[in-house]
Amino acid sequence: MKFGKVDNVDEINFSIPTDHPATDKVLKKSKAKDLKVFVGCGKWNKTDLKNFYPRGTKNELEYYATQFNSIELNATFRKRYWAPQYEKWANTTPEGFKFCPKLGQFISHIKRLDGVEESLDLFNENASHLGDRMGVSFLQMHDNFGPKDYERVQKLAEYWRFDIPLAVELRHPDWYADEKMIDEWT
């Protein structure tokens, strides 16, 4: 299967699985009073989005931000960007728009959260230049990063001292099947 394309869409089960029993417990702990929903894509200049832009669009991010209120910002996964670029992105978008920059693959896939404090500091220093456009930082771990690496995730969480919230995507299925992990988090 090619990413983003399937041969027989009728054969896909689109039903939503039942929630884990701990989900309700975790959600009830939330102190959030207002729900704010942000909708966006992983990139604004992806080739697949070219037909999305009106002919002659000069600034794709500027137009994108008129249609969506956030972006995952996958670009920061493969390449390090410096403060001036973050400022430029912020200045191109309207008030209320949020960027959710992904932490670099050096942190997640190469170093696998081991000895990444300096890289985290640098990422957050630069990303903070998004100002009020900063949403949630996003850490996507490799799908072979499993519960055996729990201490690395815990160490990262303890080190995270930034004003920027962090979302962590743990892709290995054992994170969600290991009762010890579920009990630890709930």
Side-chain angles (χ1 to χ4, degrees), residues 54-155:
R55 177 166 280 163
T57 300
K58 299 281 189 244
N59 187 324
E60 292 171 348
L61 175 58
E62 185 174 44
Y63 178 79
Y64 173 96
T66 67
Q67 307 300 307
F68 296 101
N69 64 352
S70 68
I71 187 130
E72 185 178 303
L73 201 53
N74 275 327
T76 55
F77 179 70
R78 299 212 187 277
K79 181 179 176 188
R80 179 179 290 158
Y81 289 93
W82 303 102
Q85 182 61 60
Y86 284 98
E87 290 170 1
K88 181 178 177 184
W89 288 333
N91 292 334
T92 302
T93 56
E95 186 175 324
F97 188 88
K98 297 294 182 190
F99 289 88
C100 300
K102 189 181 285 188
L103 275 72
Q105 66 182 344
F106 178 77
I107 294 169
S108 60
H109 287 53
I110 296 170
K111 296 293 283 184
R112 299 174 62 85
L113 307 184
D114 189 31
V116 296
E117 293 81 6
E118 186 177 320
S119 295
L120 292 171
D121 292 344
L122 188 58
F123 172 85
N124 281 288
E125 167 58 31
N126 287 301
S128 70
H129 288 269
L130 288 168
D132 65 356
R133 306 299 197 274
M134 183 66 200
V136 175
S137 291
F138 179 52
L139 172 65
Q140 180 185 60
M141 295 308 300
H142 195 285
D143 59 7
N144 66 11
F145 185 89
K148 66 179 174 36
D149 299 305
Y150 175 73
E151 289 179 7
R152 291 181 185 200
V153 177
Q154 187 173 25
K155 185 177 176 186

